[in-house]
């Protein structure tokens, strides 16, 4: 037997039999280009070919946002599990168990604090990987806790949204989180603290109809879907063709619903600049009252 059969052939067979990891490649949802997952992650999950902003995990968001990827997650209050005893094709409690096992998160909102551009900040990130980022009673508890922490630290609250809306398994209880989160935003306003919203793809339903559109500064990532009902539902209802780019970030920016659309790489610097501007004035500074109109002078005859 030659050295080819003894040495080379087994090596070739070993290479051919080597298993390729399932997550080695990622396909861009926009341009269908095959991308190395490792390289894509280095580019903050933004396609280098077309600039499409793909979804990001909660932990990645926090690392990309805080200075030096350093932050402290906080313990968040728990809410009653399955208050309605809901069941469709499977029990709601089983759906929660599955979501927790797959996402390694216990709910759809994670809250942490640290610094952004040297400015203290509290950041809440919605986890689309946990039941599509839906909003239930536990979410409401966590959002209020985030607002209270920001007030305690006298820091701004930054929220990254990514959600399919209210969680249907909690019925009207999930809808009650809309006014509840609105009250939490008002708590920040009363304390004179900035509330900044970064809308990512997708942000829909009751989330859009409540706290997601109440920011002092409204920022969005490029081409993010932002709306209450989906485009197909609207088209079927009004029986008209919607304008090109309807409910996308750029369309909302052109129509005054957003303050700016910012690419992901520029978000930390943009947030640092906005926080620096908004936190420069002391919280107890009160704007002067509007000047009363004076009666027009009557010319002497």
């Amino acid at each position: 037997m030659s050295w080819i059969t003894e040495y080379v052939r087994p090596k070739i067979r070993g290479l051919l039999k080597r298993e390729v990891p399932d997550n080695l490649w990622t396909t861009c949802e926009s341009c269908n280009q095959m991308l190395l997952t490792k390289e894509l992650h280095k580019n903050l999950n933004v396609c280098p070919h077309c600039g499409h902003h793909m979804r990001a995990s909660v932990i990645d968001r926090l690392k990309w946002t805080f200075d030096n990827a350093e932050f402290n997650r906080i313990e968040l209050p728990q809410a009653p599990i399955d208050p309605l005893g809901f069941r469709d094709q499977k029990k709601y409690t089983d759906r929660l168990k599955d979501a927790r096992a797959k996402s390694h998160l216990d709910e759809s909102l994670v809250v942490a604090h640290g610094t952004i551009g040297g400015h203290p900040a509290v950041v809440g990130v919605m986890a689309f990987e946990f039941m599509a980022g839906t909003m239930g009673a536990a979410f409401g508890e966590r959002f209020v806790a985030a607002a209270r922490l920001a007030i305690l630290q006298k820091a701004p609250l930054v929220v990254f949204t990514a959600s399919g809306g209210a969680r249907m398994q909690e019925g009207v209880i999930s809808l009650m989180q809309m006014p509840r989160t609105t009250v939490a935003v008002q708590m920040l306003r009363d304390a004179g603290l900035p509330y900044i919203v970064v809308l990512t793809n997708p942000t829909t339903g009751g989330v859009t109809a409540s706290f997601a559109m109440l920011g002092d500064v409204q920022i969005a990532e490029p081409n993010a879907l932002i709306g209450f009902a989906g485009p197909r539902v609207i088209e079927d209802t009004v029986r008209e063709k919607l304008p090109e780019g309807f409910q996308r970030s750029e369309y909302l920016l052109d129509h005054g619903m957003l303050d700016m659309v910012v690419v992901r790489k520029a978000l930390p610097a943009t947030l640092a600049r906005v926080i620096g501007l908004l936190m420069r004035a002391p919280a107890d500074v009160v704007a002067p009252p509007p000047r009363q109109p004076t009666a027009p002078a009557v010319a002497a005859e």
Side-chain angles (χ1 to χ4, degrees), residues 244-294:
E244 185 70 26
F246 183 73
Q247 289 187 318
R248 296 290 173 174
S249 315
E250 293 75 12
Y251 185 91
L252 270 64
L253 178 65
D254 292 341
H255 289 77
M257 299 289 287
L258 299 175
D259 295 303
M260 60 185 89
V261 175
V262 181
V263 296
R264 192 169 289 168
K265 283 186 177 180
L267 268 175
T270 301
L271 288 172
R273 186 170 66 253
V274 170
I275 291 170
L277 290 170
L278 295 179
M279 292 297 290
R280 187 166 296 172
D284 56 351
V285 170
V286 179
R291 189 164 42 178
Q292 297 296 325
T294 56

Side-chain angles (χ1 to χ4, degrees), residues 26-35 47 49-52 54:
T26 301
T27 304
C28 176
E29 303 159 3
S30 178
C31 65
N32 293 322
Q33 283 282 344
M34 292 287 289
L35 309 167
C47 176
H49 297 281
C50 67
H52 176 65
M54 302 183 193

Side-chain angles (χ1 to χ4, degrees), residues 103-137:
S103 66
H104 305 292
L105 300 171
D106 54 358
E107 250 303 328
S108 59
L109 180 67
V110 174
V111 180
H113 62 96
T115 59
I116 302 175
H119 305 287
V122 177
V123 176
V125 181
M126 297 189 71
F128 196 85
E129 59 265 39
F130 188 96
M131 296 189 72
T134 46
M135 177 173 60

Side-chain angles (χ1 to χ4, degrees), residues 13 42 72 117 131 161 184 187 198 208 211 231 235 239 247:
R13 284 176 180 170
K42 285 181 182 177
N72 295 306
M131 296 189 72
T161 64
M187 289 165 52
V198 182
T208 307
F211 66 91
E235 282 189 337
R239 299 179 185 275
Q247 289 187 318

Side-chain angles (χ1 to χ4, degrees), residues 176-251:
M176 288 168 61
Q177 308 314 309
M178 294 170 65
R180 193 175 189 192
T181 53
T182 303
V183 169
V185 173
Q186 188 58 46
M187 289 165 52
L188 291 164
R189 298 256 166 84
D190 293 343
L193 295 170
Y195 170 56
I196 302 166
V197 181
V198 182
L199 300 115
T200 72
N201 184 50
T203 299
T204 59
V207 170
T208 307
S210 54
F211 66 91
M213 301 305 290
L214 295 177
D216 297 310
V217 178
Q218 296 283 128
I219 305 172
E221 289 188 335
N223 203 39
L225 176 66
I226 304 164
F228 182 70
R232 277 187 301 176
V233 174
I234 297 173
E235 282 189 337
D236 291 343
T237 303
V238 301
R239 299 179 185 275
E240 291 182 10
K241 185 70 177 174
L242 297 174
E244 185 70 26
F246 183 73
Q247 289 187 318
R248 296 290 173 174
S249 315
E250 293 75 12
Y251 185 91

Side-chain angles (χ1 to χ4, degrees), residues 37-58:
T37 303
K38 188 176 180 180
E39 295 300 317
L40 179 64
H41 190 263
K42 285 181 182 177
N43 203 39
L44 308 186
N45 283 13
V46 177
C47 176
H49 297 281
C50 67
H52 176 65
H53 284 52
M54 302 183 193
R55 292 192 188 115
S57 69
V58 165

Side-chain angles (χ1 to χ4, degrees), residues 142-158:
R142 287 161 179 250
F143 192 92
V144 172
R148 286 175 175 162
L149 177 63
I151 294 169
L152 183 66
Q153 295 188 354
K154 296 182 180 179
L157 175 61
V158 181

